[in-house]
Amino acid sequence: MIIVCKLTYPSGTATATLINSFHTPKGSILARKQISCLLKCFSISFLWSMFKWFFSGGGEAICGFDNFPSLGMTAFTNTFYFDFSLPLIGSGMICPLIVDCSVMFGAIISWGVMWPLIHKRAGEWYPADSGSKNFQGLFGYQVFFSVAMILGDGLYNFVKIWVLTIKSIYSVRKNLNNHNRGSAGYNEDLSPEEKKRNYVFLKDTIPLWVAASAYVFFSIMATIVVPIIFPSLSWYHILTCFIGAPILAFCNAYGAGVTDWNWETAYGNLGLFIFAAWVGKEEGGVIAGLAACGVMLNIVGSASDLMQDFRTGYLTLSSPRSMFVSQLAGAAMGCIIGPLTFWLLWQAYDIGDPNGLYRAPFAVIYREMAITGVQGVSSLPKYCLSFSCALFAISILISFARDILPNRVARMLPIPMAMAIPFYLGAYLAIDMFVGGLIVYVWNRLNASKAKIFVPAVASGFICGDGVWVIPASILALAKITPPLCMMFVSSKQAPSLQD
């Protein structure tokens, strides 16, 4: 993939470019400026998150800057408000502008048009007294519409990348046969620099028997252990996962090299439906589907991540064996740090609370997908399946149009998977990300060279600062220390009642 197919792996290439720039006199000066900018933005984000914490008390009350009705109370009711979330602004700065615009378009379509119209059908299409998180009510439309669009885009790209993979392999093999080339790393047409990279990259390869033996060993371990943890899965279910996963992992690694998108969720969804339906409702198909999805996600996702790192190592003249060992060390650390971090958050916050800080939205979506796999869709509200099928088809058509239309037209079309995000989460997410994208757009217009250098540092600082604040906030929550103030906003009509 790296030497013969010459796939770019954009994230790995960008990382390598940044690392290589550190080893030049000009690069070291630039790196210091970037680090200084990152630290400033990190400090701003950390202090801002700490400041917001003081006003977010009140228990079940809607308090704090995260619920600031900046666009008015009516818009706030439909989740259209700016919540001063620097991490989401940073995410919008990192994402391409088309992603930010797609998320905003999805928010307008869903919370601005679809949900208000469907809400008017309460009592006709679904029970008027259904709760806000009842799947027989409006919540069912929100979840399954987003699932339909994610599955449509994911399935299209699943098929597309399979076709590209087969076509590319055939083309490479045909090209090698026609020109009678020997080892791909020693082509006479290569530049001296590329020959050196190929030599370093190939001299420390991992023997095939080591990779195969390790995969077989871990397959056997998983086949024994996973059914003990999840009794609804049998050994042959896990064995099937490990037999099919390498094919999907190869496809995902290839797709990441071409598009820089990791489609592990699409492959995980595929496994979720297959195994949930295979096990069945009576035998615990929901848990079985979710567990099998987790197995598929880890195998398929790891292949893409490792190939990105191999690409970085190739461009920085690093040993691929050392890159792999580093991955193993990181995985071993993650086996300890990951559960401890989860325990800290689990003890400090109500994970999964629909109205809480950590709502875990995709947990709900994946669970409902598993339920659909074993139960069908007969319990959904009226016309939910019909609309979901229509959105599924529209998602595929949009993705197809983005590939066949001229670039000047295709780049204006939204990305269905990005559109689906606010369908369930809310429009405030789209507003934050769009603000981040708008900042980058204006910055590029004013000074494109500086924007290219400092945008990643600013965005990373915004994201990391708030992330680090989670640690002291969790410690305070564990110590039963709550924020001292509750800042709330009400309409002017409600204000007199508060005085009473």
Side-chain angles (χ1 to χ4, degrees):
M1 291 187 181
I2 292 175
I3 294 180
V4 180
C5 297
K6 300 185 184 300
L7 300 184
T8 57
Y9 291 97
S11 292
T13 301
T15 303
T17 303
L18 181 62
I19 293 173
N20 288 335
S21 69
F22 292 163
H23 298 277
T24 63
K26 181 179 178 181
S28 62
I29 296 173
L30 182 60
R32 283 196 294 268
K33 292 182 179 179
Q34 288 176 314
I35 293 173
S36 175
C37 179
L38 187 148
L39 292 176
K40 290 178 182 177
C41 295
F42 175 91
S43 301
I44 292 172
S45 179
F46 182 86
L47 294 174
W48 174 244
S49 298
M50 181 173 65
F51 177 75
K52 290 197 300 179
W53 177 84
F54 283 96
F55 300 90
S56 60
E60 298 297 325
I62 302 177
C63 305
F65 285 91
D66 291 342
N67 298 282
F68 193 104
S70 49
L71 301 177
M73 296 302 298
T74 303
F76 178 78
T77 304
N78 290 291
T79 72
F80 278 95
Y81 59 92
F82 179 64
D83 68 348
F84 300 93
S85 175
L86 293 184
L88 290 178
I89 295 175
S91 299
M93 295 177 69
I94 290 178
C95 291
L97 185 60
I98 183 60
V99 174
D100 299 330
C101 292
S102 298
V103 174
M104 176 59 79
F105 182 67
I108 294 172
I109 291 296
S110 57
W111 292 93
V113 179
M114 297 177 70
W115 305 151
L117 290 177
I118 294 177
H119 183 69
K120 292 181 180 180
R121 298 290 182 176
E124 180 182 354
W125 287 8
Y126 62 91
D129 58 348
S130 60
S132 60
K133 300 302 177 183
N134 189 338
F135 281 91
Q136 294 183 349
L138 183 62
F139 187 63
Y141 293 102
Q142 295 173 354
V143 171
F144 280 92
F145 284 13
S146 61
V147 168
M149 296 193 70
I150 290 173
L151 284 179
D153 195 6
L155 180 63
Y156 171 81
N157 283 278
F158 177 82
V159 176
K160 169 189 167 183
I161 291 177
W162 264 105
V163 173
L164 288 176
T165 302
I166 296 171
K167 183 179 178 181
S168 177
I169 293 173
Y170 174 78
S171 177
V172 170
R173 289 178 61 88
K174 182 179 179 181
N175 194 36
L176 290 175
N177 292 333
N178 289 341
H179 293 280
N180 194 25
R181 294 180 178 178
S183 174
Y186 302 99
N187 186 0
E188 294 297 329
D189 297 333
L190 299 178
S191 65
E193 182 181 7
E194 196 167 0
K195 285 183 178 180
K196 184 178 181 180
R197 285 199 174 107
N198 290 353
Y199 172 76
V200 173
F201 192 71
L202 294 175
K203 73 181 180 69
D204 283 337
T205 55
I206 300 171
L208 180 60
W209 69 268
V210 174
S213 300
Y215 191 78
V216 171
F217 171 76
F218 285 111
S219 300
I220 295 173
M221 290 290 293
T223 303
I224 296 172
V225 174
V226 174
I228 297 175
I229 302 174
F230 303 102
S232 54
L233 281 172
S234 300
W235 64 269
Y236 51 85
H237 293 136
I238 302 301
L239 185 61
T240 303
C241 279
F242 275 85
I243 291 174
I247 301 173
L248 301 180
F250 177 85
C251 185
N252 189 45
Y254 182 89
V258 176
T259 65
D260 203 37
W261 281 72
N262 187 345
W263 293 101
E264 60 179 3
T265 53
Y267 302 106
N269 293 341
L270 183 66
L272 187 152
F273 277 111
I274 292 174
F275 286 94
W278 185 2
V279 175
K281 177 182 178 181
E282 302 300 328
E283 302 297 328
V286 174
I287 298 298
L290 292 171
C293 175
V295 173
M296 298 292 287
L297 284 174
N298 278 280
I299 299 174
V300 174
S302 297
S304 171
D305 295 338
L306 189 58
M307 286 302 297
Q308 293 278 11
D309 289 341
F310 278 150
R311 174 66 177 177
T312 301
Y314 173 76
L315 294 176
T316 57
L317 295 176
S318 302
S319 166
R321 191 175 298 178
S322 67
M323 300 290 290
F324 183 70
V325 171
S326 300
Q327 286 274 349
L328 291 180
M333 294 171 61
C335 290
I336 300 173
I337 298 173
L340 289 176
T341 304
F342 176 79
W343 175 84
L344 179 65
L345 292 173
W346 186 263
Q347 295 295 322
Y349 300 100
D350 186 7
I351 305 297
D353 179 10
N355 300 314
L357 180 62
Y358 296 97
R359 290 176 291 176
F362 280 98
V364 176
I365 291 177
Y366 274 71
R367 177 179 177 274
E368 291 308 311
M369 289 166 62
I371 292 175
T372 303
V374 298
Q375 288 187 342
V377 293
S378 57
S379 61
L380 294 178
K382 194 174 183 179
Y383 301 122
C384 182
L385 178 60
S386 301
F387 285 128
S388 297
C389 291
L391 288 172
F392 178 83
I394 291 172
S395 180
I396 294 176
L397 289 175
I398 293 175
S399 299
F400 181 66
R402 286 178 56 84
D403 285 335
I404 64 171
L405 293 177
N407 185 57
R408 65 179 184 276
V409 179
R411 64 190 182 91
M412 303 297 293
L413 295 177
I415 300 173
M417 191 167 289
M419 287 176 58
I421 295 174
F423 270 60
Y424 172 67
L425 293 179
Y428 69 92
L429 170 84
I431 293 176
D432 293 340
M433 292 187 65
F434 187 77
V435 169
L438 191 62
I439 291 173
V440 175
Y441 177 79
V442 174
W443 199 347
N444 277 314
R445 287 287 183 179
L446 297 176
N447 194 328
S449 59
K450 277 194 174 182
K452 184 178 180 181
I453 295 170
F454 292 108
V455 161
V458 172
S460 300
F462 284 166
I463 295 171
C464 295
D466 182 83
V468 172
W469 166 249
V470 171
I471 298 175
S474 300
I475 295 173
L476 291 171
L478 286 172
K480 307 301 181 183
I481 300 175
T482 58
L485 301 174
C486 173
M487 182 177 69
M488 294 181 63
F489 296 89
V490 297
S491 65
S492 57
K493 295 180 180 179
Q494 295 175 302
S497 63
L498 295 178
Q499 297 176 1
D500 297 337

